[in-house]
């Protein structure tokens, strides 16, 4: 006990240098763990997002871009596809269902997705169907009009302007069933762009899914068109009070001309290649991609950057630990008298080896623990922001498999590094007396 | 003198020993890698080649239709008639019949992975295809050259199936029933084991 107290007091006397050493270890651990956890969480978020969809169909272009904007709302679509192709797609013999995706508008930073009720039937998040926390799906406007659809077909505006919101939207914006939402044209809320003519009513709130849908506002394609009724060539035309007051809308006018993309489910997955060929030969210049293949390709590219970051993280950790060793080694020369007094008090040389070894190990471990805590704290603080901006769910809590491995690597390196000053102290204590040579 | 002799002898001894040792090591390494491959194999599953999945009659028909120079010899790439001919050929590929005699057999077959799910876990469904880049960079193979692989909880699998990695799969071959005008198309397997392919010969 006496030795422990002595060690602590000795360390306290050199607290500034040791605190710096601890900080450098903490920062390096923070970098390494942060990179690792960010990578794992990103992968998980992306993998959960889209199960059960066999093909993603969009305008011809870059396959990875199509997946990124149509599934994860990252980036911007460069072109749309004609809506008439959706009907052609659905009629193909090998196609079981299609989910149209219409993007471009937002509600206070949350993307608004125009889609159909098919989404609630066929979308799978992490292989599980969508569940409602409260409420029901929005009404399918097609069920509101009676059979011969013509120019006279009218739908009630109230029934078209319904939305279902993701769990995060409900939580962040404190919205509940029956509340109104004013949707914005474009991606950010700003001056004069609020589509204030139509207030959308929340009819359903989804349970958390861990997918980009948690952040989304879902409405029917017709509802999506309704947002833009008064817009001509990108400018909102003053129409007076005419539109605002009408309780019904022209059904045909609400039909979209173009949509952003479409998710397709097939009757049999063995037909994925033949269906793809048929879809790509439809008029309209379409592209059909296998989402799994595209994401694997994307991961392969991203993994180069990830590995580089991990390598840098590892190097930083090693240099921080070497820093600890050098701080302790330098301090040893200043502590020659202290060590000699311990010897004079009866400490065997081996005890000094343990004394210094435990001190440097303690510094490393303290750094690791602080680094771990720092990582968790930052992940916890940043989680909501990352979730809304990138759709990635950051998980706090105990690290997972690979993170433990890198923690183990740091601990092992710390042990090896602590041997250095300890061994030097042991050698010195054997050779030195109470009047050691001044030059180290 | 005596001492030197012994050392020399010892040296020559050690040289032979070294040669023998390295031979032994090489032998062990080779046998280990083969043993590793064999250990991964499950008994009772017959190694099968992709051509065994094509009905012989269909194969001959396709061959004669592709190689008859009278029809396609004078066509130019991209011309209307060449495109029409290609379309016809593709349709025949998409509706390619399966070989009924191989259904229900326990087989082992090697191929490339085309994943169908985004999720990167062991339940990921994939298509096994016979050549690299199939369906992504080069035209897809006929329907009877695809196996839909649906792993179950009992499937032995070490790695997550990734795009275009090469694996052996072992299991009972079934038919993937599709209700289209084409009738039955393609194969299905719920494998007992999936493991990385290695060059063994």
């Amino acid at each position: 006990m006496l030795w422990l107290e002595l060690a602590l007091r000795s360390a306290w006397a050199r607290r500034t240098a040791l605190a710096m050493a601890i900080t450098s270890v903490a920062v390096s651990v923070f970098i390494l763990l942060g990179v690792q956890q960010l990578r794992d969480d990103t992968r998980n978020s992306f993998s959960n997002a889209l199960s059960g969809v066999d093909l993603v169909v969009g305008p011809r272009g870059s396959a990875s871009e199509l997946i990124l904007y149509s599934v994860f709302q990252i980036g911007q679509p460069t072109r749309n596809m004609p809506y008439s192709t959706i009907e052609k797609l659905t009629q193909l013999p090998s196609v079981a269902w299609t989910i149209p995706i219409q993007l471009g508008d937002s509600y206070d930073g949350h993307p608004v997705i125009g889609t159909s009720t098919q989404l609630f039937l066929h979308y799978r998040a992490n292989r599980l169907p969508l569940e409602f926390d409260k409420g029901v799906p929005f009404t399918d406007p097609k069920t509101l009009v009676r059979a011969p659809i013509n120019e006279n077909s009218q739908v009630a505006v109230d029934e078209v302007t319904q939305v279902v919101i993701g769990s995060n939207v409900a939580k962040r914006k404190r919205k509940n069933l029956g509340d109104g939402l004013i949707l914005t044209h474009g991606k950010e809320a700003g001056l004069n762009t609020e589509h204030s003519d139509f207030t959308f009513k929340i009819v359903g709130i989804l349970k958390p899914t861990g997918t980009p849908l948690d952040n989304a506002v879902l409405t029917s394609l017709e509802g999506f068109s309704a947002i833009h009724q008064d817009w001509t060539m990108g400018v909102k035309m003053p129409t007076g009070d005419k539109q605002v007051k009408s309780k019904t809308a022209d059904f045909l006018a609400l039909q979209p001309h173009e949509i952003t993309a479409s998710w397709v489910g097939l009757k049999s997955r063995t037909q994925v290649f033949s269906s793809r060929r048929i879809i790509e030969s439809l008029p309209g210049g379409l592209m059909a991609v296998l989402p799994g293949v595209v994401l694997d390709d994307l991961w392969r590219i991203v993994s180069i950057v990830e590995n580089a970051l991990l390598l840098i993280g590892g190097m930083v950790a090693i240099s921080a630990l070497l820093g600890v060793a050098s701080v302790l080694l330098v301090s040893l020369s200043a502590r020659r008298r202290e060590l000699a007094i311990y010897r004079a008090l009866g400490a065997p040389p081996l005890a000094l080896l343990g004394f210094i070894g435990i001190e440097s190990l303690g510094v490393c471990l303290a750094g690791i623990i602080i680094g771990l805590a720092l990582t968790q704290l930052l992940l916890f603080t940043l989680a909501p922001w990352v979730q809304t901006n990138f759709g990635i769910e950051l998980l706090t809590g105990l690290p997972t498999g690979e993170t433990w491995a890198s923690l183990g690597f740091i601990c092992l390196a710390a042990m090896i590094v602590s041997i250095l000053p300890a061994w030097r102290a042991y050698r010195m204590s054997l050779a030195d007396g109470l009047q050691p040579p001044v030059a180290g | 003198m005596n001492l030197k002799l012994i050392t020399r002898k010892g040296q020559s001894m050690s040289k032979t020993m070294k040669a023998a040792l390295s031979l032994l090591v090489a032998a062990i390494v080779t046998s280990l890698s083969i043993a590793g491959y064999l250990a991964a194999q499950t008994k009772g599953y017959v190694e099968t080649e992709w051509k065994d999945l094509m009905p012989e009659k269909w194969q001959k028909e396709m061959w004669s239709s592709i190689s008859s120079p009278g029809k396609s010899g004078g066509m130019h790439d991209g011309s209307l008639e060449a495109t029409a001919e290609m379309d016809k050929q593709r349709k025949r590929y998409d509706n390619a019949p399966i070989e009924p005699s191989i259904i229900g057999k326990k087989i082992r077959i090697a191929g490339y992975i085309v994943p169908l799910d985004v999720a990167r876990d062991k339940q990921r469904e994939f298509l096994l295809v016979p050549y690299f880049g199939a369906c992504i960079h080069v035209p897809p193979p006929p329907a009877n050259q695809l196996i839909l692989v649906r792993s179950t909880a009992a499937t032995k699998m070490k790695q997550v199936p990734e795009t275009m990695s090469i694996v052996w799969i072992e299991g009972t071959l079934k038919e993937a029933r599709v209700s289209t005008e084409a009738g039955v198309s393609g194969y299905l397997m719920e494998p007992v084991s999936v493991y990385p392919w290695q060059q063994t010969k």
Side-chain angles (χ1 to χ4, degrees), chain B residues 4-17:
Chain B
K4 235 179 196 172
L5 213 125
I6 287 169
T7 5
R8 248 189 221 149
K9 231 184 189 172
Q11 264 173 1
S12 64
M13 272 289 280
S14 76
K15 252 183 198 168
T16 15
M17 285 277 279

Side-chain angles (χ1 to χ4, degrees), chain A residues 43 46-54 72 93-94 126-127 267-278 290-297 299-300, chain B residues 87 90-91 94 114-121 123-125 127 129 134-136 140-141 146 148 150 161-163 176-181 185-187:
Chain A
R43 292 212 164 182
F46 274 75
S47 318
N48 288 345
L50 196 72
S51 22
V53 172
D54 297 321
F72 303 102
S94 57
N126 205 8
R127 299 208 171 85
K267 285 184 183 138
S268 158
R269 298 190 116 177
T270 52
Q271 289 180 306
V272 72
F273 301 128
S274 54
S275 312
R276 191 177 162 204
R277 186 182 58 78
I278 294 168
L290 281 78
V293 173
V294 172
L295 277 179
D296 271 11
D297 282 351
W299 288 132
R300 207 164 299 155
Chain B
D87 268 5
R90 271 261 47 102
K91 254 187 207 133
D94 291 344
V114 178
L116 295 170
D117 286 323
V118 168
R120 295 167 59 87
D121 54 24
Q123 276 116 57
R124 195 179 207 192
E125 274 184 33
L127 287 172
V129 295
C135 345
I136 300 169
L146 302 171
L148 175 65
R150 202 173 274 162
E162 279 208 50
T163 303
R177 282 199 178 274
V178 184
S179 50
T180 55
E181 76 268 35
S185 127
Y187 297 98

Side-chain angles (χ1 to χ4, degrees), chain B residues 9-118:
Chain B
K9 231 184 189 172
Q11 264 173 1
S12 64
M13 272 289 280
S14 76
K15 252 183 198 168
T16 15
M17 285 277 279
K18 256 184 197 165
L21 249 170
S22 59
L23 251 173
L24 195 70
V25 167
I28 288 173
V29 167
T30 350
S31 56
L32 264 183
S33 69
I34 292 174
Y37 163 70
L38 290 176
Q41 289 187 355
T42 319
K43 269 192 194 135
Y45 290 86
V46 182
E47 198 164 316
T48 307
E49 286 181 41
W50 285 95
K51 68 172 168 52
D52 300 336
L53 303 186
M54 282 188 212
E56 214 171 312
K57 195 173 145 242
W58 180 83
Q59 199 183 334
K60 278 182 186 146
E61 266 172 37
M62 290 313 283
W63 184 245
S64 63
S65 79
I66 294 169
S67 58
S68 61
K71 257 202 214 158
S72 52
M75 290 180 188
H76 292 285
D77 276 1
S79 70
L80 272 180
E81 50 178 352
T83 317
E85 185 61 29
M86 281 292 284
D87 268 5
K88 242 165 81 192
Q89 195 67 27
R90 271 261 47 102
K91 254 187 207 133
R92 267 178 275 176
Y93 265 35
D94 291 344
N95 298 334
I98 59 171
E99 169 63 44
S101 67
I102 203 158
I103 295 299
K105 294 269 162 61
K106 291 176 157 189
I107 65 159
R108 162 167 49 246
I109 193 163
Y112 293 85
I113 287 175
V114 178
L116 295 170
D117 286 323
V118 168

Side-chain angles (χ1 to χ4, degrees), chain A residues 136-150:
Chain A
V136 289
F138 52 75
T139 320
D140 185 359
K142 286 183 184 64
T143 62
L144 296 173
V145 282
R146 244 177 270 124
I149 295 171
N150 53 32

Side-chain angles (χ1 to χ4, degrees), chain A residues 21 63 72 78 218 294 391 418:
Chain A
F72 303 102
T78 44
L218 305 170
V294 172
S418 0

Side-chain angles (χ1 to χ4, degrees), chain A residues 153-213:
Chain A
S153 303
Q154 296 283 312
V155 283
V157 170
D158 288 352
E159 305 215 54
V160 176
T161 55
Q162 294 181 340
V163 290
V164 169
I165 58 175
S167 59
N168 277 336
V169 185
K171 209 163 67 188
R172 301 258 156 70
K173 302 289 183 273
R174 298 178 195 287
K175 292 285 180 188
N176 216 324
L177 283 188
D179 288 354
L181 291 186
I182 294 168
L183 305 182
T184 329
H185 185 48
K187 270 215 159 171
E188 302 293 331
L191 190 67
N192 259 345
T193 50
E194 286 201 346
H195 297 234
S196 49
D197 292 356
F198 294 107
T199 306
F200 281 68
K201 198 178 124 198
I202 298 171
V203 294
I205 297 171
L206 294 173
K207 279 190 179 161
T209 59
T211 72
L213 279 197

